[in-house]
Amino acid sequence: MPKLTNIFRLDDHQLVPEPVNKWSPFRLSWPIAQSGSTDHMAGILATMTSNSREVMAPDFARIKIRVGALVFCGNDVALIRRDRPGSTHFTPPGGNVEHGEDLLTALRRELAEELGLAHSQADAPELLWVIDQMVSRPGATPPPRKLHLIYRLHITPDVREALATEEYDEVPGGHEIGLVDWIDYRTTAELPIFPPSGRHWPRFPTHSPR
């Protein structure tokens, strides 16, 4: 399945595309990581769209924005494991931003829905990556271009104990059950994680409960 994935970092307040084989986490020097300002982020996403327009295939004219979170408890990170016939993959909890929804509002809603985590139970989300992904697929519906905004936040062991252990995703005809696994982030390099970023997680410094 042909696909194009780019990751963007901020360098002196300029968006710089990273080669696919040179991904690295970045920290925003703008206050977006703390405020979740949709005005600032809208400007960033508009710049990304403009900069990439020349290489974007017509199929990817629709853009979806997905927020996700690396929820840390010490060195363990929460991942949703989906077991399907012939394959298993992991995703950070999160989902698509609804029309007109603020980015951090969307993140808090998804974490509440999937983990039962209230925003008051974790520290402030920190934006790590913006992943620009275009994946082709069979069928008549044009595939979307998806921008993944990946945040990081921390919780305590007491909070972790009360969180959900299963996640129910709506699919045609019913629900698909995902299992919430807590995995040492230093062992994620070879895991099939979507969006593809797990091989960079072991570079994070050691984490401690907040």
Side-chain angles (χ1 to χ4, degrees):
M1 182 177 291
K3 59 185 178 181
L4 172 64
T5 303
N6 295 310
I7 190 162
F8 290 80
R9 61 181 170 83
L10 278 178
D11 190 359
D12 193 24
H13 290 199
Q14 299 295 316
L15 273 173
V16 179
E18 291 274 27
V20 172
N21 62 348
K22 292 185 179 180
W23 285 3
S24 61
F26 65 87
R27 293 191 179 187
L28 291 175
S29 52
W30 292 342
I32 299 171
Q34 287 73 39
S35 69
S37 167
T38 41
D39 291 338
H40 284 296
M41 185 56 74
I44 286 182
L45 297 182
T47 303
M48 290 174 63
T49 304
S50 175
N51 290 346
S52 303
R53 191 167 293 150
E54 294 181 0
V55 299
M56 185 173 69
D59 279 349
F60 301 103
R62 294 186 302 121
I63 298 179
K64 290 186 177 181
I65 301 175
R66 185 184 189 278
V67 291
L70 305 184
V71 179
F72 279 94
C73 181
N75 289 325
D76 292 343
V77 62
L79 291 173
I80 297 174
R81 189 183 85 229
R82 303 196 185 281
D83 298 314
R84 294 171 178 167
S87 70
T88 294
H89 73 273
F90 299 82
T91 60
N96 292 331
V97 177
E98 296 179 354
H99 180 69
E101 190 175 30
D102 180 84
L103 295 171
L104 288 186
T105 299
L107 182 67
R108 290 165 180 160
R109 173 180 54 77
E110 290 289 346
L111 292 178
E113 291 174 357
E114 298 189 354
L115 296 182
L117 178 65
H119 74 273
S120 60
Q121 295 176 303
D123 61 4
E126 173 192 9
L127 181 58
L128 293 178
W129 290 297
V130 177
I131 300 175
D132 181 9
Q133 188 164 55
M134 291 176 273
V135 181
S136 63
R137 65 189 182 195
T141 304
R145 177 183 183 181
K146 185 163 284 191
L147 298 179
H148 301 267
L149 278 62
I150 308 297
Y151 294 81
R152 173 172 59 181
L153 49 86
H154 303 268
I155 63 172
T156 63
D158 288 344
V159 171
R160 170 177 168 174
E161 286 298 318
L163 296 183
T165 58
E166 294 182 338
E167 185 269 340
Y168 297 86
D169 192 25
E170 292 186 8
V171 296
H175 292 83
E176 179 183 56
I177 299 176
L179 300 179
V180 180
D181 286 352
W182 290 88
I183 299 174
D184 190 315
Y185 79 98
R186 296 165 295 188
T187 67
T188 58
E190 302 303 322
L191 289 181
I193 295 175
F194 178 83
S197 57
R199 66 189 179 92
H200 305 285
W201 299 0
R203 302 177 188 173
F204 291 154
T206 300
H207 294 279
S208 300
R210 71 185 184 113

